[in-house]
Amino acid sequence: MKKEKITTLGELKKAGYETKSIKDELRDNLRDKIKSGEESFQGVWGYENSVIPEMERAILSRHNINLLGLRGQAKTRLARLMVNLLDEYIPIVKGSEINDDPLNPISRFAIELIKEQGDNTPITWLHRSERFYEKLATPDVTVADLIGDVDPIKAANLKLSYADDRVIHFGMIPRANRCIFVINELPDLQSRIQVSLFNILEEGDIQIRGFKIRMPLDLQFVFTANPEDYTNRGSIVTPLKDRIGSQILTHYPDDIPTARKITEQESNLDKRQTDTVYVPEIARDLLEQISFEARNSEYVDAKSGVSARTSITAFENLLSTAERRALLTGAERTTIRLSDFMGVIPSITGKIELVYEGEQEGADGVAAILIDDAVKTLFTSYFPEIKKLERKDEESPYDELLSWFFQGEGFELLDDYTDTEYKRALDDVPPLNQLIKEYNPEVSKEDAYFLKEILLWGLVAHRKLSKHRFSEGFQFKDLYGSYISGL
């Protein structure tokens, strides 16, 4: 018999339905996925050998879980994906506020209804997508919000005494019975509110305003917390930590390819952008490298972390910068340039916490430094390393290019150049073409121009050339030429 056709308790019993706790549901469905080789947490990258096995072990152990990690480490996403491990539908007593199991009711409403109607008790089916509750912990959250309180309006309407348990208004947690309940940023929850969770986690019952209620709630709790919060805003009280079965540490991506997968998956792009703007592979790598540089920067507070959202919003800004140029110049297609990375600065400055030295530099200044550092790091992947200490007469692969700048007045790359003008400006520096051919012969023609800019910016980062930003674009010159000509 199809679930939709089972509408009474009697039909449910005939169908042979067996009651199962939510933790057993998660465990059984996870076992099936592991056996069949299916991914249990699809769309989460970089956790295949670390966080996901820990999550699976916690679920198999029927534990409540605390995900501990810095911002932008997919903690909430992991919790939401647990919904896919639930049964597709579960039966509930129709009209129940707390998703009563028809075979094991716990609320007064459901118990009395079944007592009165027996096998004719109406039931309905709850889809797994409706079995996820989420609460952001803030200082103003009360016990009434989470657990419940006496409702004077209900008492007046039903003409009941405050001593009658039917005047109770259930909070979010009882209403999430047989569901996954997530409390985000747990340390932000006041200690006295955390204490109210003790009994629910261990004994499974609740207490509301002195009412002696024995309601064995069936919940899967997932908490998230940021280590920074332990000192800045609050802490998780020790007895509560003791009642959480597994604490799992999350982390940032370990490598560029993983970070790229996350950014490409999460970026909110308009199809017209992707049709208009071509993004070289090197540009994608450079964008991710900026976040890696920020996580190691002396200007950025490491304890605060650099969210994966930094790269996501930066990528969106990068494409928008190139798209805007294409609209202004009337071009149907354009390619990302290194100068377009100036457009990602606003998406970086709001997402990094600076230490004192960073505040001295200023947020925009630090963002520009991070871009330069990322270029410097990637430079050696494509071109010969520039050593800090070189012999005076030692030959370098860059001598011809540096000589070209020394003998000339340098050149400018304007932001509003059309693609034709941009390519012509770079092609007019013959040593650039030669270095690309020699060290990156297999690079595509489309990507070669971005690589030429990497070469120029890399030489600037290694103090071989000078770069000056002005309102219309960039000027590249010999490092010492400007001083000599000014004498």
Side-chain angles (χ1 to χ4, degrees):
M1 185 182 283
K2 287 187 178 179
K3 286 184 171 66
E4 309 89 76
K5 294 183 179 177
I6 299 175
T7 56
T8 66
L9 177 56
E11 291 170 355
L12 187 69
K13 288 176 181 175
K14 272 187 190 174
Y17 178 81
E18 291 181 11
T19 295
K20 193 189 288 185
S21 75
I22 186 170
K23 286 183 167 69
D24 282 329
E25 265 185 69
L26 291 164
R27 175 182 158 78
D28 291 349
N29 292 324
L30 176 59
R31 277 173 56 88
D32 292 341
K33 280 187 180 286
I34 293 173
K35 279 182 181 177
S36 63
E38 282 183 68
E39 286 183 54
S40 50
F41 293 89
Q42 283 189 336
V44 177
W45 306 106
Y47 285 171
E48 296 83 358
N49 300 311
S50 54
V51 176
I52 289 175
E54 295 283 354
M55 287 288 290
E56 291 175 343
R57 284 191 279 272
I59 292 167
L60 291 172
S61 300
R62 301 183 185 88
H63 285 174
N64 292 312
I65 298 167
N66 181 27
L67 293 168
L68 183 64
L70 298 172
R71 55 187 173 175
Q73 290 186 349
K75 298 187 293 293
T76 306
R77 174 181 278 270
L78 282 168
R80 287 176 179 165
L81 287 172
M82 284 177 67
V83 170
N84 298 325
L85 296 174
L86 294 170
D87 290 347
E88 189 174 5
Y89 286 96
I90 57 165
I92 62 170
V93 175
K94 194 170 186 178
S96 168
E97 291 180 89
I98 62 167
N99 303 324
D100 274 288
D101 181 349
L103 300 178
N104 187 26
I106 58 174
S107 72
R108 177 165 173 168
F109 164 82
I111 291 168
E112 289 188 349
L113 185 66
I114 291 172
K115 201 174 186 179
E116 180 188 324
Q117 299 197 23
D119 284 353
N120 292 321
T121 303
I123 67 165
T124 187
W125 292 87
L126 189 67
H127 191 258
R128 62 183 164 213
S129 61
E130 298 176 82
R131 297 176 65 193
F132 182 87
Y133 283 71
E134 190 174 0
K135 180 64 180 170
L136 177 64
T138 54
D140 61 335
V141 173
T142 64
V143 174
D145 294 334
L146 293 178
I147 313 298
D149 205 347
V150 169
D151 185 349
I153 296 172
K154 188 184 276 189
N157 288 342
L158 297 174
K159 297 180 180 177
L160 296 170
S161 156
Y162 279 7
D164 193 309
D165 63 7
R166 283 174 292 179
V167 304
I168 291 171
H169 172 78
F170 292 116
M172 284 187 74
I173 290 176
R175 288 173 182 275
N177 184 38
R178 303 173 74 200
C179 299
I180 296 169
F181 193 88
V182 178
I183 298 182
N184 280 316
E185 310 302 338
L186 182 60
D188 281 351
L189 208 61
Q190 292 181 50
S191 297
R192 63 186 181 84
I193 313 299
Q194 293 184 34
V195 169
S196 70
L197 300 174
F198 289 0
N199 267 33
I200 298 170
L201 283 169
E202 194 65 26
E203 287 81 21
D205 61 8
I206 59 171
Q207 295 175 11
I208 298 174
R209 288 284 180 185
F211 280 102
K212 189 178 179 182
I213 304 170
R214 177 66 181 165
M215 292 182 71
L217 297 173
D218 181 22
L219 289 150
Q220 170 66 53
F221 275 101
V222 181
F223 304 100
T224 72
N226 187 325
E228 185 194 13
D229 298 339
Y230 282 88
T231 51
N232 283 9
R233 298 200 291 266
S235 63
I236 303 174
V237 297
T238 306
L240 182 59
K241 285 172 75 175
D242 185 51
R243 286 166 164 82
I244 299 170
S246 291
Q247 179 167 282
I248 298 170
L249 302 179
T250 57
H251 57 83
Y252 289 121
D254 294 325
D255 52 61
I256 296 290
T258 302
R260 276 183 53 171
K261 276 185 184 179
I262 296 168
T263 299
E264 287 161 17
Q265 176 179 280
E266 300 300 319
S267 298
N268 182 21
L269 302 175
D270 186 321
K271 189 175 184 300
R272 289 170 294 183
Q273 280 181 314
T274 52
D275 288 345
T276 302
V277 182
Y278 171 74
V279 187
E281 294 298 307
I282 315 159
R284 294 177 189 272
D285 289 346
L286 179 63
L287 185 88
E288 301 301 340
Q289 188 62 41
I290 294 169
S291 292
F292 280 76
E293 297 295 337
R295 288 171 194 140
N296 295 312
S297 173
E298 61 182 337
Y299 299 118
V300 178
D301 184 358
K303 290 184 295 182
S304 180
V306 178
S307 167
R309 285 183 281 270
T310 306
S311 295
I312 295 163
T313 53
F315 187 60
E316 291 164 353
N317 258 11
L318 183 64
L319 264 71
S320 297
T321 303
E323 180 189 27
R324 181 178 178 273
R325 182 181 62 249
L327 292 169
L328 288 171
T329 59
E332 288 186 9
R333 290 269 299 164
T334 191
T335 301
I336 290 291
R337 306 171 188 174
L338 224 167
S339 54
D340 292 334
F341 275 74
M342 294 299 101
V344 311
I345 287 177
S347 59
I348 298 172
T349 53
K351 292 198 170 51
I352 55 174
E353 297 293 327
L354 303 178
V355 294
Y356 176 75
E357 291 80 1
E359 296 288 356
Q360 298 300 105
E361 290 284 342
D364 283 8
V366 170
I369 290 169
L370 294 175
I371 294 170
D372 287 341
D373 287 346
V375 171
K376 191 174 182 179
T377 299
L378 284 187
F379 181 83
T380 51
S381 299
Y382 297 95
F383 301 102
E385 184 183 356
I386 298 175
K387 296 173 184 174
K388 283 186 179 178
L389 297 174
E390 293 178 335
R391 291 178 184 172
K392 191 175 181 183
D393 301 323
E394 189 176 353
E395 285 189 11
S396 160
Y398 309 107
D399 287 347
E400 194 176 334
L401 178 59
L402 297 176
S403 175
W404 186 91
F405 276 96
F406 184 76
Q407 292 169 9
E409 295 182 2
F411 83 118
E412 295 175 350
L413 279 178
L414 304 186
D415 293 342
D416 61 357
Y417 269 170
T418 64
D419 275 24
T420 305
E421 291 169 327
Y422 162 75
K423 290 175 181 178
R424 185 187 301 131
L426 288 167
D427 285 339
D428 284 347
V429 185
L432 268 182
N433 302 324
Q434 187 56 41
L435 284 165
I436 298 295
K437 279 180 188 174
E438 188 173 347
Y439 295 105
N440 294 276
E442 295 177 4
V443 71
S444 69
K445 193 174 180 182
E446 200 74 24
D447 289 13
Y449 290 95
F450 191 86
L451 202 53
K452 288 179 182 180
E453 283 195 272
I454 288 278
L455 178 52
L456 290 173
W457 283 55
L459 290 172
V460 171
H462 286 91
R463 301 181 184 276
K464 297 292 183 182
L465 292 176
S466 68
K467 170 168 63 74
H468 172 64
R469 174 73 184 170
F470 57 102
S471 56
E472 290 87 14
F474 283 100
Q475 182 184 52
F476 293 89
K477 296 182 76 173
D478 172 65
L479 187 60
Y480 305 108
S482 55
Y483 298 111
I484 294 169
S485 60
L487 292 174

